[in-house]
Amino acid sequence: QIRKLCESSNFKYRTLIMFLFDSGIRSPTELINIQVSDFHDNFRELTISDEVSKTFGRRIKLMLCSNLLREYVEMKELGQEDYIFPLKPNTVNVYLKKKAKELFGEEKSPAGQKSSELTMYDFRHCSCCYWLPRYKSESALKYRFGWKKSDKIHYYSDMLGMRDTINE
């Protein structure tokens, strides 16, 4: 669904969606404070500073959106001190809700919410579900998301229906 959402969105929103999904960044609080200078290694790494983070600063690898980000910065001609996404969260959420409803109707997600209720914040949950099976250690996952306690892993993954469903 995220791929479909990206493919049907304009370039700005496609870049934003993939960045939110890849980074799992807190949105809008951390997101709106990210500047071009916070990216390193050709947009393959992101520093979320202590001043920006709700919990602690961290430097994470971006595995899915580096090329889009690089192209976006070039196209927008952004300088090092420019904010990458100077946006109004309500405007973005209206766009996401409209686009999700257009693509997926009123069907409910595994979390039990209608697709038309999608917000920027929901990408943090989606990101956690994506990264959870890919990280080898709980501490590494907690670092990526800026969590101090393990219960956040359960909260963010269980909300989207990630539960143990193994049976004989």
Side-chain angles (χ1 to χ4, degrees):
Q1 286 181 319
I2 289 175
R3 185 176 295 125
K4 189 173 182 179
L5 185 64
C6 281
E7 289 170 356
S8 69
S9 296
N10 66 38
F11 186 66
K12 171 188 166 184
Y13 281 104
R14 184 179 321 134
T15 305
L16 174 63
I17 290 165
M18 284 308 298
F19 177 68
L20 290 171
F21 180 67
D22 190 356
S23 67
I25 198 166
R26 289 181 178 93
S27 178
T29 55
E30 292 175 345
L31 173 68
I32 61 173
N33 289 295
I34 299 298
Q35 296 175 294
V36 174
S37 60
D38 294 321
F39 293 95
H40 313 280
D41 193 23
N42 209 15
F43 293 91
R44 288 187 287 248
E45 291 188 8
L46 168 67
T47 297
I48 302 169
S49 68
D50 284 326
E51 297 78 33
V52 167
S53 178
K54 177 181 169 183
T55 52
F56 56 85
R58 56 207 187 273
R59 186 167 173 155
I60 62 170
K61 293 182 181 178
L62 298 173
M63 308 299 288
L64 307 172
C65 68
S66 299
N67 292 338
L68 271 174
L69 283 169
R70 187 172 37 260
E71 190 177 336
Y72 176 82
V73 168
E74 288 171 5
M75 184 184 84
K76 293 275 193 182
E77 298 179 351
L78 299 178
Q80 288 293 303
E81 300 309 310
D82 290 328
Y83 291 97
I84 190 101
F85 293 111
L87 47 80
K88 294 181 179 159
N90 289 340
T91 303
V92 174
N93 287 335
V94 166
Y95 177 89
L96 292 172
K97 289 170 194 274
K98 182 181 173 190
K99 186 59 79 171
K101 184 175 183 178
E102 174 187 307
L103 294 171
F104 311 115
E106 291 292 329
E107 77 180 54
K108 288 192 174 188
S109 73
Q113 288 184 291
K114 293 178 183 177
S115 299
S116 61
E117 296 173 351
L118 181 68
T119 66
M120 290 189 300
Y121 174 77
D122 294 318
F123 287 95
R124 189 157 165 85
H125 289 276
C126 296
S127 182
C128 177
C129 290
Y130 178 80
W131 290 115
L132 182 62
R134 289 165 174 81
Y135 269 89
K136 291 182 178 7
S137 77
E138 187 178 284
S139 61
L141 185 68
K142 288 189 323 190
Y143 176 81
R144 181 179 194 87
F145 286 87
W147 296 324
K148 293 179 179 177
K149 297 181 179 178
S150 299
D151 65 335
K152 294 294 185 190
I153 296 170
H154 171 72
Y155 172 76
Y156 278 88
S157 62
D158 194 43
M159 287 289 289
L160 287 181
M162 286 191 71
R163 296 179 182 96
D164 188 0
T165 57
I166 196 166
N167 58 38
E168 289 184 52

